Every structure is written in structure tokens, then in C-alpha cells.
């Protein structure tokens, strides 16, 4: 989707590509061609740290955020994120894809 026109989209993509060069940032692209994309249309944030008992899943919706921290819920969303990762391009392929799209604008 494009918001703000080609110049804004290109700037956003180039910023993403620059961020992908940082050691602590990983962006993975899931191509539209994937038919088995898990959790499509559902923004998921999995917050993890050095103390696993404090892990939390944040689900954004139009009525606000839900915070999930029960072990069964965390296991379910770890599984979803693992499936998403298996569908995604590698970090290098994702970077190349983002740069290619930015150049095409």
C-alpha cells in the first residue's frame, strides 16, 4: 500500500533498508505470493527479554491493545511467529527486495 505518494514511500523504504543494516534490527518480508501466510491482517508484537516470565504479546485492535502473558498464549504466538518466519524471505533477500521496490518508485 502506498500512503503519501511515491516520494514518501521511497523514503520510508530507504529508511527501512538503512535500519536493516543495524545489528539489532531484523526485518523480514513475506511475499504476497505466499498463500499460507499465518496471522494475516493481525498486528502482533512479541516482547521478550532476559527474563522469559516477563514476555508479553501485544495485540493491537480498533478497541485498544490486549496484553497476553499466560504461558499457553505465549507458546501459541511463538508458534505463529515461527511459521511467519518460515514463510519470509531471508534477511538478505528481504533487504534486496526492499531496496528493489524503493528503486522502482
Amino acid at each position: 500500500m502506498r500512503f503519501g505518494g511515491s516520494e514518501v514511500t521511497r523514503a520510508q523504504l530507504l529508511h527501512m533498508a538503512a535500519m536493516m543494516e543495524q545489528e539489532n534490527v531484523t526485518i523480514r518480508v513475506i511475499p504476497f505470493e505466499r498463500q499460507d501466510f499465518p496471522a494475516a491482517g493481525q498486528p502482533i508484537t512479541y516482547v521478550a527479554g532476559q527474563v522469559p516470565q516477563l514476555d508479553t504479546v501485544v495485540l493491537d485492535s480498533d478497541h485498544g491493545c490486549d496484553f497476553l502473558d499466560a504461558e499457553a498464549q505465549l507458546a501459541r504466538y511463538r508458534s505463529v511467529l515461527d511459521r511467519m518466519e518460515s514463510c519470509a524471505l531471508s534477511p538478505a533477500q528481504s533487504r534486496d527486495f526492499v531496496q528493489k521496490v524503493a528503486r522502482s518508485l
Side-chain angles (χ1 to χ4, degrees):
M1 287 187 247
R2 293 185 187 173
F3 295 95
S6 295
E7 290 181 30
V8 171
T9 302
R10 182 176 26 267
Q12 290 173 334
L13 291 169
L14 291 174
H15 176 72
M16 285 175 54
M19 294 302 294
M20 293 166 102
E21 299 298 326
Q22 295 189 24
E23 186 177 305
N24 64 332
V25 175
T26 303
I27 297 174
R28 304 282 300 269
V29 173
I30 300 175
F32 283 119
E33 295 84 38
R34 291 299 306 228
Q35 299 297 317
D36 57 345
F37 175 71
Q42 179 184 14
I44 301 169
T45 304
Y46 191 105
V47 182
Q50 293 183 344
V51 180
Q53 295 85 353
L54 298 178
D55 287 5
T56 303
V57 170
V58 182
L59 302 176
D60 293 321
S61 68
D62 59 351
H63 65 273
C65 293
D66 292 319
F67 298 91
L68 312 176
D69 59 6
E71 183 53 41
Q73 294 168 319
L74 295 174
R76 177 176 177 259
Y77 282 98
R78 280 193 299 266
S79 174
V80 168
L81 293 172
D82 287 344
R83 290 193 330 266
M84 289 173 73
E85 186 175 17
S86 72
C87 294
L89 301 174
S90 72
Q93 291 170 320
S94 294
R95 182 198 61 237
D96 293 347
F97 178 84
V98 168
Q99 290 172 339
K100 178 182 173 184
V101 172
R103 284 192 306 268
S104 73
L105 295 173

